[in-house]
Amino acid sequence: MKTKQRKYALSGIATAALMALSTLSYAQTAPKVRIGVLTDMSGPYASMGGAGSVAAAKLAVEDCLAKECKGMDIDVIFADNQNKADIGAAKAREWFDREGVTAIADLTNSAVALAVQNIAKEKNRIALFSGPATTVLTNKECSPVGFHWMFDTYSQSVGGVKATIDAGGKSWYFLTVDYAFGHSLEADTSAMVKKLGGTVTGQVRHPLNNSDFASFLLQAQSSGADVVALANGSQDTVNAVKQAKEFGITSGNQRLVALLLFLSDVRALGNEVAQGLSYVDGFYWDFDDGTRAFSDRFANAFNNLKPTMTHAGVYSSVYHYLKGVASAQSIEGDKVATAMRATPIEDSVLRNASIRPNGRVIHDMYLYQVKKPDEKSSEWDYSKLLATIPAEEAFQPLSESTCSLIK
């Protein structure tokens, strides 16, 4: 018996030694891992993505090199997609074909994301979407190597619509940015409004990166709808909220709802202007000890600013991708994607997260409300938690997905 036990013990030691040697060998011989952050560096989405997304990706690399990716050769490059699908697509092809990029992260703009999704699939490389919102990425245009990480237009409509209708906001009028993201956000929110017994009285569409919302707000005001819903994002949302207050929409009988609001937007508006706005978020810096610790690290790395949910999504997605590379011992997209799906998502950013077959990463989402100025206790104390939306409820039911990967 003792001899057998000794043999088993030696066998276990030998196995562990072989695994360690295998990991070391891979780290020494594996192809270089290069992550390209394709984001908006200078336009309306630069504050919620931009250089902060690059900083978040570098934090993920740092953390993986300290653990799962020891010895691997990893670097991060970035480019400005200028919110143009043709520019984003050209850069993606250049990166994959000539720059050795093995995965592209962030993407910010939905039109750019849809263009890159197909190229990544063609090149068998991973695409990690944290900035775009369109649900088309995990429906008609889904890909076996594409992962939608943080939020989408469905998740943004669930909690906010229910809370608004429960508070008496039955009729809705949409002020929508005129491209794929805005169309998807309006469509998903409209469907949720009708599902919950509300009505949609109309909509008006504005160009991306718009500065003057006067004519659009006048149409919304004259509609008489209970709710004026902003189906836009970042700087467009900031401009629209500021001007809506000037027009008296926020102080009259109408309710203003921002369907996609980032921490950077709340900071740009300030509590005096934004107070009372409710919004759905996938990450808030002050949620728990884990989010606070990550946010402190991010602030130290990036101009003393707290991360938006896009920045947090870039960190989480890049870290999980790197774990997948280490596990698969490959940079080939199909092999890494299989490893990513088999590996639990565990980090300081997401709670109750998992990957669905269509590439949608589900996790808990949160309904927040901007505090009144006298409720703030510190510089970054902007919002208070109203409700947690469980992962399975926060995202489109898998049964409704039109993704061809679902059997």
Side-chain angles (χ1 to χ4, degrees), residues 320-344:
H320 197 73
Y321 162 73
L322 292 172
K323 291 179 186 177
V325 172
S327 175
Q329 299 196 5
S330 173
I331 58 170
E332 297 303 315
D334 53 349
K335 294 178 181 178
V336 176
T338 297
M340 289 173 66
R341 286 184 165 88
T343 304

Side-chain angles (χ1 to χ4, degrees), residues 356-400:
R356 285 178 170 172
N358 60 352
R360 176 66 258 178
V361 174
I362 66 169
H363 52 89
D364 291 349
M365 295 289 287
Y366 311 98
L367 181 64
Y368 279 94
Q369 185 178 61
V370 180
K371 293 182 175 182
K372 298 176 181 177
D374 60 6
E375 293 178 317
K376 289 188 66 171
S377 61
S378 64
E379 178 187 359
W380 285 93
D381 182 26
Y382 286 105
S383 304
K384 56 186 176 185
L385 180 65
L386 298 181
T388 296
I389 309 166
E392 289 291 341
E393 297 177 16
F395 294 90
Q396 181 185 43
L398 201 55
S399 60
E400 296 178 8

Side-chain angles (χ1 to χ4, degrees), residues 75-125:
D75 74 351
V76 175
I77 63 174
F78 63 89
D80 189 347
N81 62 41
Q82 298 179 46
N83 291 297
K84 295 179 180 179
D86 57 342
I87 291 176
K91 179 56 66 174
R93 285 194 180 278
E94 176 189 333
W95 276 355
F96 288 141
D97 291 341
R98 297 194 292 276
E99 298 292 332
V101 166
T102 57
I104 295 181
D106 192 359
L107 282 309
T108 54
N109 181 293
S110 289
V112 174
L114 289 167
V116 172
Q117 174 92 302
N118 291 324
I119 297 169
K121 183 179 178 180
E122 173 193 333
K123 302 296 182 181
N124 195 27
R125 292 293 183 257

Side-chain angles (χ1 to χ4, degrees), residues 187-204:
D188 283 341
T189 307
S190 295
M192 189 62 63
V193 167
K194 294 170 185 176
K195 181 179 179 180
L196 295 175
T199 60
V200 175
T201 64
Q203 69 282 317
V204 62

Side-chain angles (χ1 to χ4, degrees), residues 267-285:
R267 184 170 177 80
L269 288 166
N271 288 76
E272 181 63 38
V273 174
Q275 61 180 301
L277 274 177
S278 58
Y279 63 100
V280 175
D281 209 328
F283 173 90
Y284 185 67
W285 73 272

Side-chain angles (χ1 to χ4, degrees), residues 209-334:
N209 204 15
N210 190 57
S211 59
D212 185 1
F213 284 87
S215 63
F216 307 117
L217 288 168
L218 282 172
Q219 291 180 64
Q221 199 169 37
S222 64
S223 73
D226 299 328
V227 179
V228 175
L230 303 179
N232 50 21
S234 222
Q235 191 58 49
D236 282 333
T237 301
V238 170
N239 290 339
V241 170
K242 286 181 177 178
Q243 292 172 41
K245 184 168 185 178
E246 293 172 4
F247 275 80
I249 289 178
T250 54
S251 58
N253 294 325
Q254 290 179 306
R255 185 188 308 268
L256 187 69
V257 172
L259 296 173
L260 183 59
L261 197 68
F262 296 93
L263 180 62
S264 53
D265 304 330
V266 177
R267 184 170 177 80
L269 288 166
N271 288 76
E272 181 63 38
V273 174
Q275 61 180 301
L277 274 177
S278 58
Y279 63 100
V280 175
D281 209 328
F283 173 90
Y284 185 67
W285 73 272
D286 198 27
F287 180 75
D288 60 22
D289 289 343
T291 61
R292 283 188 284 272
F294 168 72
S295 298
D296 286 345
R297 288 184 60 215
F298 180 89
N300 288 334
F302 188 63
N303 303 324
N304 293 317
L305 298 175
K306 300 295 186 186
T308 66
M309 66 171 162
T310 298
H311 300 147
V314 170
Y315 169 85
S316 178
S317 63
V318 169
Y319 193 2
H320 197 73
Y321 162 73
L322 292 172
K323 291 179 186 177
V325 172
S327 175
Q329 299 196 5
S330 173
I331 58 170
E332 297 303 315
D334 53 349

